[in-house]
Amino acid sequence: EVQLVESGGSLVKPGGSLRLSCAASGFAFSRYSMNWVRQVPGKGLEWVSTLSSNSYYIYYADSVRGRFTISRDNAKNSVDLQMNNLSAEDTAVYYCARDHSLGVPGGFDVWGQGTTVTVSS
Amino acid sequence: QSVLTQPPSASGTPGQRVTISCSGSSSNIGANTVNWYQQLPGTAPKFLIYSNYLRPSGVPDRFSGSKSGTSASLAISGLQSEDEADYYCAAWDDSLNGWVFGGGTKLTVL
């Protein structure tokens, strides 16, 4: 079964750091670009970051650039999101998502269940 | 304020056909293909339509997509109660170098 499982979400103070992880299984992880998408409860979806299969291409939303870092370990079938200098605006459910295209960005065909990040003092 | 513009709500009765619009610009919808996602309450989004009109395996053919210029549409025919969900359009934006989403449309089946 193709599956993505996120972990690492928790309550963190403003200015703090957190590292999210996404474990992939059931597919050839190393062939796919991976993404993080977040959603404030009750609000819409916001793309956060994309990392190509070989880690050559990395993209960030303006709202997180310079504070968040995406990385992957193809040997462990995992993708991480290191989040620094967090603020209340980063409070959201964070989803890991696979890009269905093996080349140019094509869309998110597999999603994890999400992990909740709450930034509050 | 989302880069792609969707109506906040839509509604229909069982069996009806409803459409949801998505408006963008030359750097996103005008330059790239559009995807649609369905998010049922309390669940992760689901890949519904990709490359403007293609359906992933398992998506009923009641769902269809189209694109013209800088706008796209999602149509749902034979509306069913289980179609009640939030629907999001998305496209890659060449100016922003990233994905942009619509604000989402909440579909109510009356």
Side-chain angles (χ1 to χ4, degrees):
Chain A
E1 179 191 5
V2 174
Q3 195 172 13
L4 298 172
V5 178
E6 303 95 336
S7 61
S10 69
L11 172 64
V12 61
K13 288 182 168 52
S17 298
L18 203 59
R19 190 175 186 91
L20 306 182
S21 291
C22 172
S25 59
F27 65 98
F29 178 77
S30 64
R31 299 180 66 192
Y32 291 85
S33 294
M34 296 299 296
N35 306 268
W36 287 95
V37 177
R38 68 184 181 183
Q39 184 174 35
V40 174
K43 301 297 184 183
L45 300 171
E46 180 189 15
W47 168 78
V48 173
S49 183
T50 295
L51 180 59
S52 65
S53 58
N54 56 7
S55 299
Y56 190 79
Y57 295 101
I58 304 177
Y59 304 100
Y60 295 103
D62 288 343
S63 58
V64 307
R65 187 176 292 112
R67 300 186 299 121
F68 289 13
T69 302
I70 190 172
S71 61
R72 65 189 295 160
D73 186 335
N74 286 343
K76 294 183 178 179
N77 290 350
S78 66
V79 57
D80 290 353
L81 185 69
Q82 175 66 41
M83 305 185 296
N84 298 330
N85 193 21
L86 287 162
S87 70
E89 288 68 40
D90 297 314
T91 294
V93 175
Y94 285 73
Y95 293 103
C96 172
R98 185 183 83 169
D99 195 303
H100 85 104
S101 169
L102 296 180
V104 297
F108 316 129
D109 66 337
V110 180
W111 296 68
Q113 83 288 352
T115 188
T116 300
V117 173
T118 303
V119 184
S120 174
S121 55
Chain B
Q1 193 79 336
S2 302
V3 174
L4 305 182
T5 301
Q6 297 179 236
S9 63
S11 63
T13 56
Q16 264 191 335
R17 181 178 188 271
V18 298
T19 61
I20 297 172
S21 62
C22 175
S23 178
S25 68
S26 59
S27 63
N28 42 66
I29 294 179
N32 299 295
T33 59
V34 177
N35 302 322
W36 290 89
Y37 302 89
Q38 177 194 58
Q39 187 174 32
L40 298 171
T43 69
K46 172 187 172 182
F47 202 35
L48 192 66
I49 295 287
Y50 68 99
S51 296
N52 302 328
Y53 63 90
L54 297 175
R55 288 185 305 276
S57 174
V59 173
D61 59 6
R62 302 186 297 102
F63 294 91
S64 62
S66 64
K67 175 187 135 175
S68 178
T70 58
S71 295
S73 293
L74 172 71
I76 309 172
S77 60
L79 199 62
Q80 300 179 2
S81 58
E82 54 261 41
D83 298 333
E84 192 160 282
D86 294 324
Y87 292 85
Y88 296 90
C89 59
W92 182 265
D93 192 298
D94 289 342
S95 294
L96 297 175
N97 253 346
W99 288 98
V100 291
F101 283 96
T105 298
K106 183 176 184 61
L107 175 64
T108 301
V109 181
L110 302 169

Coordinates of all heavy atoms in Angstrom, one line a residue, chain A residues 54-114:
Chain A
N54 N 16.1 13.9 -6.7 CA 17.6 13.9 -6.4 C 18.1 15.0 -5.5 O 19.3 15.3 -5.4 CB 18.4 13.8 -7.7 CG 18.0 15.0 -8.6 OD1 17.3 16.0 -8.2 ND2 18.5 15.0 -9.8
S55 N 17.1 15.8 -5.0 CA 17.4 17.0 -4.1 C 18.1 18.1 -4.9 O 18.6 19.0 -4.3 CB 18.3 16.6 -2.9 OG 17.7 15.6 -2.1
Y56 N 18.0 18.0 -6.2 CA 18.6 19.1 -7.0 C 17.8 20.4 -7.0 O 18.3 21.5 -7.0 CB 18.9 18.6 -8.4 CG 19.7 19.5 -9.2 CD1 21.1 19.5 -9.1 CD2 19.2 20.4 -10.2 CE1 21.9 20.4 -9.9 CE2 19.9 21.2 -11.0 CZ 21.3 21.2 -10.8 OH 22.1 22.1 -11.5
Y57 N 16.5 20.2 -7.1 CA 15.5 21.3 -7.2 C 14.8 21.5 -5.9 O 14.2 20.5 -5.4 CB 14.5 21.1 -8.3 CG 15.1 21.1 -9.7 CD1 15.3 19.9 -10.4 CD2 15.5 22.3 -10.3 CE1 15.9 19.9 -11.6 CE2 16.1 22.3 -11.6 CZ 16.3 21.1 -12.2 OH 16.8 21.1 -13.5
I58 N 14.9 22.7 -5.3 CA 14.2 22.9 -4.0 C 13.5 24.2 -4.2 O 14.0 25.2 -4.7 CB 15.2 23.1 -2.9 CG1 16.1 21.8 -2.8 CG2 14.5 23.3 -1.6 CD1 17.2 21.9 -1.7
Y59 N 12.2 24.2 -3.8 CA 11.4 25.4 -3.9 C 10.7 25.7 -2.5 O 10.3 24.7 -1.8 CB 10.3 25.2 -4.9 CG 10.8 24.9 -6.3 CD1 10.8 23.6 -6.8 CD2 11.3 25.9 -7.1 CE1 11.3 23.2 -8.0 CE2 11.8 25.6 -8.4 CZ 11.8 24.2 -8.8 OH 12.2 23.9 -10.1
Y60 N 10.6 26.9 -2.2 CA 9.9 27.3 -0.9 C 8.9 28.4 -1.2 O 9.1 29.3 -2.1 CB 10.9 27.9 0.1 CG 11.9 26.9 0.6 CD1 13.2 26.9 0.1 CD2 11.6 25.9 1.6 CE1 14.1 26.0 0.6 CE2 12.5 25.0 2.0 CZ 13.8 25.0 1.5 OH 14.7 24.1 2.0
A61 N 7.8 28.4 -0.4 CA 6.9 29.5 -0.4 C 7.6 30.7 0.2 O 8.4 30.6 1.1 CB 5.6 29.2 0.4
D62 N 7.2 31.9 -0.3 CA 7.8 33.1 0.3 C 7.6 33.2 1.8 O 8.5 33.8 2.5 CB 7.2 34.4 -0.4 CG 7.6 34.5 -1.8 OD1 8.6 33.9 -2.2 OD2 7.0 35.3 -2.5
S63 N 6.5 32.7 2.3 CA 6.2 32.8 3.7 C 7.1 32.0 4.6 O 7.2 32.2 5.8 CB 4.7 32.4 3.9 OG 4.5 31.0 3.5
V64 N 7.9 31.1 4.0 CA 8.7 30.2 4.9 C 10.2 30.3 4.4 O 11.1 29.7 5.2 CB 8.2 28.8 4.9 CG1 6.8 28.7 5.3 CG2 8.5 28.1 3.5
R65 N 10.5 30.9 3.3 CA 11.8 30.9 2.8 C 12.8 31.5 3.8 O 12.5 32.6 4.3 CB 11.9 31.6 1.4 CG 13.3 31.5 0.8 CD 13.3 32.2 -0.6 NE 12.5 31.4 -1.6 CZ 11.3 31.8 -2.1 NH1 10.9 33.0 -1.7 NH2 10.7 31.1 -2.9
G66 N 13.9 30.9 4.0 CA 14.9 31.4 5.0 C 14.6 30.9 6.4 O 15.5 31.1 7.3
R67 N 13.5 30.3 6.7 CA 13.2 29.8 8.0 C 13.0 28.3 8.0 O 13.3 27.6 8.9 CB 11.9 30.4 8.6 CG 12.0 31.9 8.7 CD 10.7 32.4 9.5 NE 9.5 32.1 8.7 CZ 8.5 31.4 9.2 NH1 8.6 30.9 10.5 NH2 7.4 31.2 8.5
F68 N 12.5 27.7 6.9 CA 12.2 26.3 6.8 C 13.3 25.7 5.8 O 13.7 26.3 4.8 CB 10.8 26.0 6.2 CG 9.7 26.4 7.2 CD1 9.9 27.1 8.3 CD2 8.4 25.9 6.9 CE1 8.9 27.4 9.2 CE2 7.4 26.2 7.7 CZ 7.6 26.9 8.9
T69 N 13.6 24.4 6.1 CA 14.5 23.7 5.2 C 13.9 22.3 4.9 O 13.7 21.6 5.9 CB 15.9 23.6 5.8 OG1 16.4 24.9 6.1 CG2 16.8 22.8 4.8
I70 N 13.8 21.9 3.7 CA 13.3 20.6 3.3 C 14.5 19.8 2.9 O 15.5 20.2 2.3 CB 12.3 20.7 2.2 CG1 11.6 19.3 1.9 CG2 12.9 21.2 0.9 CD1 10.4 19.4 0.9
S71 N 14.4 18.5 3.3 CA 15.5 17.6 3.0 C 14.9 16.2 2.9 O 13.8 15.9 3.3 CB 16.6 17.6 4.0 OG 16.1 17.2 5.3
R72 N 15.7 15.3 2.3 CA 15.3 13.9 2.1 C 16.4 12.9 2.3 O 17.6 13.3 2.0 CB 14.5 13.7 0.8 CG 15.4 13.9 -0.4 CD 14.6 13.9 -1.7 NE 13.9 12.6 -1.9 CZ 12.8 12.5 -2.7 NH1 12.3 13.5 -3.4 NH2 12.3 11.3 -2.9
D73 N 16.0 11.7 2.6 CA 17.0 10.6 2.7 C 16.4 9.5 1.9 O 15.5 8.7 2.4 CB 17.2 10.2 4.2 CG 18.3 9.2 4.3 OD1 18.6 8.4 3.4 OD2 18.9 9.1 5.4
N74 N 16.9 9.3 0.7 CA 16.3 8.3 -0.2 C 16.6 6.9 0.3 O 15.9 5.9 0.0 CB 16.8 8.5 -1.6 CG 16.1 9.6 -2.3 OD1 15.1 10.1 -1.8 ND2 16.7 10.1 -3.4
A75 N 17.6 6.7 1.1 CA 18.0 5.4 1.6 C 17.0 5.0 2.8 O 16.7 3.8 3.0 CB 19.4 5.4 2.2
K76 N 16.4 6.0 3.4 CA 15.5 5.8 4.5 C 14.0 6.0 4.1 O 13.1 5.9 4.9 CB 15.8 6.6 5.7 CG 17.2 6.3 6.4 CD 17.4 7.1 7.6 CE 18.8 6.7 8.2 NZ 19.1 7.5 9.4
N77 N 13.8 6.4 2.8 CA 12.5 6.7 2.3 C 11.8 7.8 3.2 O 10.6 7.6 3.6 CB 11.6 5.4 2.3 CG 12.1 4.5 1.2 OD1 12.9 4.8 0.3 ND2 11.5 3.3 1.2
S78 N 12.5 8.8 3.4 CA 11.9 9.9 4.3 C 12.2 11.3 3.8 O 13.2 11.5 3.1 CB 12.4 9.7 5.7 OG 13.8 10.0 5.8
V79 N 11.3 12.2 4.1 CA 11.5 13.6 3.8 C 11.2 14.4 5.1 O 10.3 14.1 5.8 CB 10.6 14.1 2.6 CG1 9.2 13.8 2.9 CG2 10.9 15.5 2.3
D80 N 12.0 15.4 5.4 CA 11.9 16.2 6.6 C 11.6 17.6 6.3 O 12.0 18.1 5.2 CB 13.2 16.1 7.4 CG 13.4 14.7 8.0 OD1 12.5 13.9 7.9 OD2 14.5 14.5 8.6
L81 N 11.1 18.3 7.2 CA 10.9 19.8 7.2 C 11.4 20.4 8.5 O 10.8 20.2 9.5 CB 9.5 20.1 6.9 CG 9.2 21.6 6.7 CD1 9.8 22.0 5.3 CD2 7.7 22.0 6.7
Q82 N 12.6 21.0 8.4 CA 13.1 21.7 9.6 C 12.6 23.1 9.6 O 12.7 23.9 8.6 CB 14.7 21.8 9.5 CG 15.3 22.6 10.6 CD 15.1 21.9 12.0 OE1 15.2 20.7 12.1 NE2 14.9 22.7 13.0
M83 N 11.9 23.4 10.7 CA 11.2 24.7 10.8 C 11.9 25.5 12.0 O 11.9 25.1 13.1 CB 9.7 24.5 11.1 CG 9.1 23.6 10.0 SD 7.3 23.5 10.3 CE 7.2 22.7 11.8
N84 N 12.4 26.7 11.6 CA 13.0 27.6 12.6 C 12.3 28.9 12.7 O 11.5 29.3 11.8 CB 14.5 27.8 12.2 CG 15.3 26.6 12.2 OD1 15.1 25.6 12.9 ND2 16.3 26.5 11.3
N85 N 12.6 29.6 13.8 CA 12.0 30.9 14.1 C 10.5 30.9 13.8 O 9.9 31.7 13.1 CB 12.7 31.9 13.2 CG 12.3 33.4 13.6 OD1 11.9 33.6 14.7 ND2 12.5 34.3 12.7
L86 N 9.8 30.0 14.5 CA 8.4 29.8 14.2 C 7.6 30.9 14.9 O 7.9 31.5 15.9 CB 7.9 28.4 14.8 CG 8.4 27.2 14.0 CD1 8.3 25.9 14.8 CD2 7.5 27.1 12.8
S87 N 6.4 31.2 14.2 CA 5.5 32.2 14.7 C 4.1 31.6 14.7 O 3.9 30.6 14.2 CB 5.6 33.5 13.8 OG 5.0 33.2 12.6
A88 N 3.2 32.4 15.3 CA 1.8 31.9 15.4 C 1.2 31.6 14.0 O 0.3 30.8 13.8 CB 1.0 32.9 16.1
E89 N 1.7 32.4 13.0 CA 1.2 32.2 11.6 C 1.6 30.8 11.0 O 1.1 30.5 10.0 CB 1.7 33.3 10.7 CG 1.0 34.7 11.0 CD 1.4 35.3 12.3 OE1 2.6 35.2 12.7 OE2 0.5 35.9 13.0
D90 N 2.5 30.1 11.7 CA 2.9 28.8 11.2 C 2.0 27.7 11.8 O 2.2 26.5 11.5 CB 4.4 28.6 11.5 CG 5.3 29.5 10.8 OD1 5.1 29.8 9.6 OD2 6.2 30.1 11.5
T91 N 1.1 28.1 12.7 CA 0.2 27.1 13.3 C -0.7 26.5 12.2 O -1.4 27.2 11.5 CB -0.6 27.7 14.4 OG1 0.2 28.1 15.5 CG2 -1.7 26.8 14.9
A92 N -0.6 25.2 12.0 CA -1.3 24.5 11.0 C -1.2 23.0 11.0 O -0.3 22.5 11.8 CB -0.8 25.0 9.6
V93 N -2.0 22.3 10.3 CA -1.7 20.9 10.0 C -0.8 20.8 8.8 O -1.1 21.5 7.8 CB -3.1 20.2 9.7 CG1 -2.8 18.7 9.3 CG2 -4.0 20.2 10.9
Y94 N 0.3 20.1 8.9 CA 1.3 20.0 7.9 C 1.1 18.6 7.2 O 1.2 17.6 7.9 CB 2.7 20.2 8.4 CG 3.0 21.6 8.7 CD1 2.4 22.3 9.8 CD2 3.8 22.4 7.9 CE1 2.7 23.6 10.1 CE2 4.1 23.7 8.2 CZ 3.5 24.3 9.2 OH 3.8 25.6 9.5
Y95 N 0.9 18.6 5.9 CA 0.8 17.4 5.2 C 2.0 17.2 4.3 O 2.5 18.1 3.7 CB -0.4 17.5 4.2 CG -1.8 17.5 4.8 CD1 -2.5 18.7 4.9 CD2 -2.4 16.4 5.3 CE1 -3.7 18.8 5.5 CE2 -3.6 16.4 5.9 CZ -4.3 17.7 6.0 OH -5.6 17.7 6.6
C96 N 2.4 15.9 4.2 CA 3.4 15.5 3.3 C 2.7 15.0 2.1 O 1.7 14.3 2.2 CB 4.3 14.4 4.0 SG 5.4 13.5 2.9
A97 N 3.2 15.3 0.9 CA 2.5 14.8 -0.3 C 3.5 14.5 -1.4 O 4.5 15.2 -1.6 CB 1.5 15.9 -0.8
R98 N 3.2 13.4 -2.1 CA 4.0 13.0 -3.3 C 3.5 13.7 -4.5 O 2.3 13.9 -4.8 CB 3.8 11.5 -3.4 CG 4.7 10.9 -4.5 CD 4.5 9.4 -4.6 NE 3.3 9.1 -5.5 CZ 3.0 7.9 -5.9 NH1 3.8 6.8 -5.6 NH2 2.0 7.7 -6.7
D99 N 4.5 14.0 -5.4 CA 4.2 14.5 -6.7 C 4.0 13.4 -7.6 O 4.9 12.5 -7.7 CB 5.3 15.5 -7.2 CG 4.8 16.3 -8.4 OD1 4.4 15.7 -9.4 OD2 4.9 17.5 -8.3
H100 N 2.9 13.3 -8.3 CA 2.6 12.2 -9.2 C 3.5 12.1 -10.4 O 3.6 11.0 -11.0 CB 1.1 12.1 -9.6 CG 0.8 13.0 -10.8 ND1 0.5 12.4 -12.0 CD2 0.7 14.3 -10.9 CE1 0.3 13.4 -12.9 NE2 0.3 14.5 -12.2
S101 N 4.0 13.2 -10.8 CA 4.8 13.3 -12.0 C 6.3 12.9 -11.7 O 6.8 13.4 -10.7 CB 4.7 14.7 -12.6 OG 5.7 14.8 -13.7
L102 N 6.9 12.2 -12.6 CA 8.3 11.9 -12.4 C 9.3 13.0 -13.0 O 10.5 12.8 -13.0 CB 8.7 10.5 -13.0 CG 7.9 9.4 -12.4 CD1 8.3 8.0 -13.0 CD2 8.3 9.3 -10.9
G103 N 8.7 14.0 -13.5 CA 9.5 15.1 -14.1 C 9.1 16.4 -13.5 O 9.3 16.7 -12.3
V104 N 8.6 17.3 -14.3 CA 8.2 18.6 -13.8 C 7.0 18.5 -12.8 O 6.3 17.5 -12.8 CB 7.7 19.5 -15.0 CG1 8.8 19.7 -16.0 CG2 6.5 18.8 -15.7
P105 N 6.9 19.5 -11.9 CA 5.8 19.4 -10.9 C 4.5 19.1 -11.5 O 4.1 19.8 -12.5 CB 5.9 20.8 -10.3 CG 7.3 21.2 -10.4 CD 7.7 20.7 -11.8
G106 N 3.8 18.1 -11.0 CA 2.6 17.7 -11.7 C 1.4 17.6 -10.8 O 0.2 17.6 -11.3
G107 N 1.5 17.7 -9.5 CA 0.4 17.6 -8.6 C 0.6 16.5 -7.5 O 1.4 15.6 -7.7
F108 N -0.2 16.6 -6.5 CA 0.0 15.8 -5.3 C -1.0 14.6 -5.3 O -2.2 14.8 -5.0 CB -0.2 16.7 -4.0 CG 0.5 18.0 -4.1 CD1 -0.2 19.2 -3.8 CD2 1.8 18.1 -4.5 CE1 0.4 20.4 -3.9 CE2 2.4 19.3 -4.6 CZ 1.7 20.5 -4.3
D109 N -0.5 13.4 -5.6 CA -1.4 12.3 -5.7 C -1.5 11.5 -4.5 O -2.5 10.7 -4.3 CB -1.1 11.4 -6.9 CG 0.3 10.7 -6.8 OD1 1.1 11.2 -6.0 OD2 0.5 9.7 -7.4
V110 N -0.6 11.5 -3.6 CA -0.6 10.8 -2.3 C -0.4 11.8 -1.2 O 0.6 12.5 -1.2 CB 0.4 9.7 -2.3 CG1 0.3 8.9 -1.0 CG2 0.2 8.7 -3.5
W111 N -1.2 11.7 -0.2 CA -1.1 12.6 1.0 C -1.0 11.8 2.3 O -1.6 10.7 2.4 CB -2.3 13.5 1.1 CG -2.5 14.4 0.0 CD1 -2.9 14.1 -1.3 CD2 -2.5 15.9 0.0 NE1 -3.0 15.3 -2.1 CE2 -2.8 16.4 -1.3 CE3 -2.2 16.8 1.0 CZ2 -2.8 17.7 -1.6 CZ3 -2.2 18.1 0.8 CH2 -2.5 18.6 -0.5
G112 N -0.3 12.3 3.2 CA -0.3 11.7 4.5 C -1.5 12.2 5.3 O -2.3 13.0 4.8
Q113 N -1.6 11.8 6.5 CA -2.7 12.1 7.4 C -2.6 13.5 8.0 O -3.5 14.0 8.6 CB -3.0 11.0 8.4 CG -2.2 11.2 9.7 CD -0.7 10.8 9.5 OE1 -0.3 10.3 8.4 NE2 0.1 11.1 10.5
G114 N -1.4 14.0 8.0 CA -1.1 15.3 8.6 C -0.6 15.2 10.0 O -0.9 14.3 10.7

